[in-house]
Amino acid sequence: MSMDDRQRQWLQSDPWAHLASTTPARIALGRCGVSVPTGETLRFALAHAQARDAVHAPMAVDDIAQALRAQGFDSIRVQSQAVSRDVYLQRPDLGRRLDADSLARLQASASEPDELVFAVGDGLSALAVDRHAVPLLALARPLLEAQGWRIGPVVLASLARVALGDEIGAALKARAVVVLIGERPGLSSPDSMGLYLTYAPRPGRRDAERNCISNVRPAGLALPLAARKLAWMLDRARELGCSGVALKDESDAILPASPGMLADI
Amino acid sequence: MAYTSMLGTRRYRFPDLKTLMARATPARAGDRLAGLAADSAEERVVARMRLAEVPLTEFLGQALIPYEADEVTRLIVDTHDRAAFAPIAHLTVGDFREWLLSDETDSAMLARVARGVTPEMAAAVSKLMRNQDLILVAAKCHVVTRFRNTIGLPGHLAVRLQPNHPTDDALGIAASMLDGLLYGAGDAVIGVNPASDSLAVIHDLLRLMDDVRARFDIPTQTCVLTHVTNTLALIERGAPVDLVFQSIAGTEAANRGFGIDLGMLAEAREAAQALRRGTVGDNVMYFETGQGSALSANAHHGVDQQTCEARAYAVARHFQPLLVNTVVGFIGPEYLYDGKEIIRAGLEDHFCGKLLGLPMGCDICYTNHAEADQDDMDNLLTLLATAGINFIIGVPGADDVMLNYQSTSFHDALYVRQLLGLKRAPEFEAWLEAMQITRADGRLLPQTASASLLDLTRGRL
């Protein structure tokens, strides 16, 4: 049993706890001596544990495939050349290449050329795509079909980095590929999904030739808004004949924040 | 020129100096990813033994990245101070380690040779040093810089207050600023990473922080960590810019990846100095670096990531910065895999920076996909504080809710102050006491709802 704060004389609380409603930051934690009280120490540990689990969990491929079927999407399963989660985390280059079987399977598939291809990849948080990929696709499809896009099969890619979409798109002769992928999880956001759009995908495309819609999750960029942004950007990419730095999201730039270093996925 | 070494009947051959240095580097993910790491533990130590025999003068004759191809190499070569180098000119890398550690080599001698040491020499000797060597020598190097206060005095530790918010919300940022100030943090800088790239938003953030600073007459500096071109544009618009921030790397090509070159940094420094906003000094630059940035930009020229990092310090040194911060664990496990690699890299970066004469700080941090946790950060914090680091980062509760990584907290700074008796920048320490935030001995005083800093947000909620 925990004592009430009045009995815990060693605990110094902060008289600005009311400011906590203005920010998700961990402010007004109070202190025991100079140290963080027990409750917050454990809450932090729990958040870290959840983020770690999100990084290491495999994508629920069967569940996603089933949910896609229920929405009327076909799916194809592929895998990168990273053979394990451990290799994946240390060798981003392998996560950007399809293994030989997967490449052959895509090339043999009956997909029509010039379609829009979606690839769903685990990235750094399978939890993100487990939760948000199918709902996002269901929201985006009517918008995209109204714009005249033909949507190909959904590729479910395990141990995937963003650039794996280039090889997937090229193998399917896609006009554009959109990679839905789990972003680097934060303590307060273990399930943030990124959408990476590449027009005329082929291996060797640079990051500057893509566009990104980041922080897609209910508590971040809500799914319906993300779907609208995606449709807007795909339309614009088709007009311009390219994606990347030439394509500015003029409605509201949503680029991943970075302190200057690359937060590679 | 190739380097060879015999171990028993086995002959090791390293085709050039950069390969010898890469093979000698303590194991880390980024060098494995680049294909530069030693193939075996034995090869790594043999490479160190061979590197120990290399004369320091050889680094002056052999550029690891060609002079013609890279403006960072040109900067290193063209600004090398031969007179400062003279006392160590006769040494090999192995001798240099012993010279650094010897009782006779004191702080003043280290300061005198700093301009004679190239980044490659610093990186090379660090590869022969154990963690305790890196700590002991760095602790002898004192680098003091000034803007509105004095940072880097022996026995002192400053904190950058990092009040980031996922949507740059003014009230949210003000709340984190208050939290930090009332925990006695913010003497290195109050520096926010903006979520937005919009000049209007960044301008508002600069005004917000400068208003708080001016209203309470806080002897510190503020900064929005945005691209140097944004800061220049904002200076032209009359924004209250104290410091110019920029991420920098150790090769021209990697800097191009950041969208900068040396000329732009010089221009920005001149523009900020012309504002004359510093009261006790005019160090106006704030740089961030981190091992792996050159490899990440595919711009490493076959040079190991720690040597590339040391070369970034040559860039920083040229502009006499107030603060240089190695963001050691941010870039991810493909460069530094786990707590052991992050801790080693943090100590190397601090040592190399201090040896070269830089006001080194460290963002002691990790991401959730690295094999690291708070215990590793506690270790590195304690080690760097004993090594005399100039400043660390302070984020509320160690959780950066905008950049999605974990750094050190205001509480962490208090821990290490108490443990090692480290003081804040003197001007800031005096201000805290006058504001009744701390006692005369620097310990926090209990706060009440009437604390004057809390006026900032009163009536706004």
Side-chain angles (χ1 to χ4, degrees):
Chain A
M1 290 303 285
S2 183
M3 281 183 284
D4 137 332
D5 281 2
R6 277 164 303 181
Q7 290 173 277
R8 293 152 73 203
Q9 296 133 348
W10 53 83
L11 196 72
Q12 183 66 50
S13 65
D14 296 327
W16 56 94
H18 59 286
L19 296 179
S21 63
T22 66
T23 176
R26 293 169 194 259
I27 65 166
L29 299 179
R31 57 192 172 87
C32 41
V34 298
S35 302
V36 176
T38 305
E40 167 58 20
T41 299
L42 294 173
R43 277 191 294 277
F44 185 102
L46 178 63
H48 184 236
Q50 288 170 334
R52 296 286 293 152
D53 287 346
V55 166
H56 290 280
M59 185 162 65
V61 179
D62 290 338
D63 294 348
I64 295 177
Q66 196 182 348
L68 284 170
R69 245 192 328 277
Q71 296 281 349
F73 289 99
D74 289 331
S75 62
I76 307 176
R77 298 177 191 201
V78 300
Q79 190 163 321
S80 78
Q81 290 178 11
V83 294
S84 68
R85 202 70 196 155
D86 210 37
V87 171
Y88 171 82
L89 288 173
Q90 293 190 66
R91 292 290 304 271
D93 53 326
L94 297 179
R96 298 184 185 117
R97 300 300 308 272
L98 285 168
D99 75 3
D101 278 2
S102 298
L103 182 59
R105 212 159 42 245
L106 286 182
Q107 285 167 337
S109 83
S111 173
E112 301 281 328
D114 288 335
E115 291 182 323
L116 170 59
V117 167
F118 284 99
V120 176
D122 41 10
L124 293 174
S125 168
L127 190 62
V129 289
D130 288 353
R131 287 182 180 169
H132 310 317
V134 178
L136 188 280
L137 288 172
L139 287 164
R141 180 167 55 187
L143 306 176
L144 294 167
E145 285 176 349
Q147 290 170 191
W149 286 97
R150 285 183 298 119
I151 298 176
V154 177
V155 179
L156 302 179
S158 297
L159 301 172
R161 300 268 170 182
V162 169
L164 191 68
D166 295 343
E167 202 169 6
I168 291 170
L172 294 175
K173 300 186 178 62
R175 181 185 288 208
V177 66
V178 176
V179 179
L180 286 63
I181 196 162
E183 297 183 321
R184 180 190 270 209
L187 286 196
S188 50
S189 55
D191 65 341
S192 182
M193 183 169 76
L195 313 178
Y196 288 81
L197 155 62
T198 309
Y199 194 83
R202 58 164 187 268
R205 283 281 185 212
R206 289 172 295 118
D207 288 343
E209 296 175 296
R210 316 182 198 289
N211 295 92
C212 171
I213 299 173
S214 181
N215 195 26
V216 178
R217 60 192 172 102
L221 180 65
L223 271 61
L225 182 56
R228 284 202 297 279
K229 277 187 179 294
L230 179 64
W232 186 91
M233 290 177 93
L234 276 166
D235 216 28
R236 191 83 183 106
R238 192 165 50 180
E239 259 173 62
L240 291 170
C242 70
S243 52
V245 288
L247 197 175
K248 300 279 186 207
D249 179 359
E250 284 151 28
S251 52
D252 177 18
I254 303 225
L255 291 169
S258 147
M261 318 302 289
L262 290 179
D264 288 325
I265 297 175
Chain B
M1 175 188 139
Y3 297 82
T4 56
S5 204
M6 292 297 294
L7 189 72
T9 56
R10 178 141 188 213
R11 182 170 177 274
Y12 281 93
R13 183 177 181 282
F14 307 97
D16 51 27
L17 189 52
K18 68 182 179 188
T19 307
L20 179 66
M21 287 178 71
R23 299 289 194 271
T25 305
R28 67 201 55 192
D31 292 336
R32 293 192 287 274
L33 178 61
L36 297 173
D39 289 328
S40 67
E42 183 180 274
E43 186 190 21
R44 180 169 293 117
V45 179
V46 171
R48 281 183 200 160
M49 289 171 161
R50 185 64 190 83
L51 182 60
E53 297 167 0
V54 173
L56 292 183
T57 50
E58 208 148 308
F59 291 92
L60 301 177
Q62 289 195 48
L64 302 191
I65 300 172
Y67 185 89
E68 301 71 30
D70 187 282
E71 69 170 354
V72 178
T73 300
R74 290 197 288 280
L75 177 73
I76 293 166
V77 172
D78 296 349
T79 62
H80 183 249
D81 184 337
R82 285 269 173 183
F85 180 61
I88 54 172
H90 59 293
L91 303 179
T92 63
V93 177
D95 296 335
F96 188 34
R97 173 181 170 276
E98 291 169 0
W99 183 86
L100 290 169
L101 288 164
S102 75
D103 288 340
E104 286 69 41
T105 302
D106 60 15
S107 301
M109 287 168 76
L110 288 165
R112 277 198 300 277
V113 301
R115 289 269 165 185
V117 179
T118 66
E120 289 84 356
M121 293 175 197
V125 74
S126 78
K127 295 174 196 301
L128 307 185
M129 295 167 80
R130 285 173 44 195
N131 286 2
Q132 64 165 264
D133 303 342
L134 298 172
I135 292 169
L136 199 58
V137 177
K140 290 199 277 188
C141 299
H142 304 142
V143 182
V144 179
T145 56
R146 295 176 177 89
F147 188 76
R148 281 198 197 92
N149 58 23
T150 308
I151 298 168
L153 294 169
H156 289 63
L157 171 79
V159 177
R160 167 185 161 197
L161 200 175
Q162 182 168 306
N164 295 348
H165 188 280
T167 60
D168 296 328
D169 179 78
L171 206 49
I173 287 172
S176 287
M177 282 172 66
L178 279 179
D179 195 66
L181 290 167
L182 290 165
Y183 269 81
D187 45 352
V189 61
I190 302 174
V192 68
N193 298 89
S196 168
D197 208 25
S198 145
L199 285 183
V201 171
I202 295 165
H203 200 159
D204 287 346
L205 291 176
L206 281 167
R207 270 196 295 248
L208 165 73
M209 291 191 295
D210 194 55
D211 286 351
V212 175
R213 182 199 60 76
R215 176 168 168 188
F216 294 99
D217 202 17
I218 311 174
T220 191
Q221 33 285 331
T222 65
C223 184
V224 176
L225 284 76
T226 185
H227 196 265
V228 61
T229 52
N230 287 343
T231 302
L232 258 175
L234 287 160
I235 289 175
E236 281 163 23
R237 291 183 190 186
V241 171
D242 288 345
L243 304 182
V244 176
F245 168 81
Q246 184 55 48
S247 290
I248 56 170
T251 71
E252 179 180 340
N255 282 328
R256 209 180 307 126
F258 284 140
I260 60 152
D261 58 33
L262 299 178
M264 290 166 72
L265 297 176
E267 186 190 346
R269 174 166 180 255
E270 205 171 298
Q273 284 191 327
L275 299 177
R276 302 194 171 280
R277 293 173 59 83
T279 51
V280 297
D282 67 350
N283 299 114
V284 295
M285 303 300 283
Y286 173 12
F287 293 119
E288 282 190 355
T289 66
Q291 291 190 26
S293 58
L295 174 58
S296 165
N298 201 16
H300 60 88
H301 300 268
V303 174
D304 70 87
Q305 71 180 30
Q306 189 242 338
T307 302
C308 285
E309 171 73 5
R311 286 169 53 96
Y313 303 154
V315 174
R317 179 164 70 174
H318 191 59
F319 300 101
Q320 292 159 33
L322 182 77
L323 307 163
V324 179
N325 180 27
T326 170
V327 190
V328 70
F330 184 80
I331 196 162
E334 59 268 46
Y335 304 97
L336 295 169
Y337 182 64
D338 58 13
K340 183 178 173 71
E341 292 185 9
I342 292 170
I343 288 168
R344 173 73 197 181
L347 293 174
E348 289 168 349
D349 292 352
H350 177 249
F351 161 78
C352 287
K354 281 282 177 71
L355 183 60
L356 292 168
L358 287 177
M360 286 306 291
C362 183
D363 191 345
I364 296 161
C365 66
Y366 65 105
T367 61
N368 287 316
H369 58 320
E371 289 295 322
D373 60 21
Q374 294 303 110
D375 291 335
D376 296 302
M377 299 305 107
D378 290 345
N379 291 349
L380 182 55
L381 170 63
T382 309
L383 296 173
L384 282 172
T386 62
I389 193 153
N390 281 30
F391 71 100
I392 60 170
I393 303 296
V395 179
D399 174 12
D400 190 307
V401 294
M402 199 280 281
L403 294 171
N404 285 337
Y405 76 119
Q406 285 87 257
S407 182
T408 41
S409 67
F410 307 134
H411 294 76
D412 290 333
L414 295 175
Y415 143 74
V416 84
R417 283 190 196 295
Q418 180 165 323
L419 184 72
L420 300 171
L422 299 170
K423 295 184 180 314
R424 303 172 181 89
E427 300 86 347
F428 190 80
E429 186 99 52
W431 176 82
L432 288 173
E433 194 188 340
M435 294 290 288
Q436 296 183 304
I437 295 169
T438 57
R439 307 190 306 205
D441 65 359
R443 299 271 181 110
L444 290 187
L445 281 167
Q447 296 296 310
T448 67
S450 63
S452 59
L453 273 181
L454 291 175
D455 289 345
L456 256 187
T457 55
R458 231 183 287 281
R460 293 178 65 185
L461 278 179

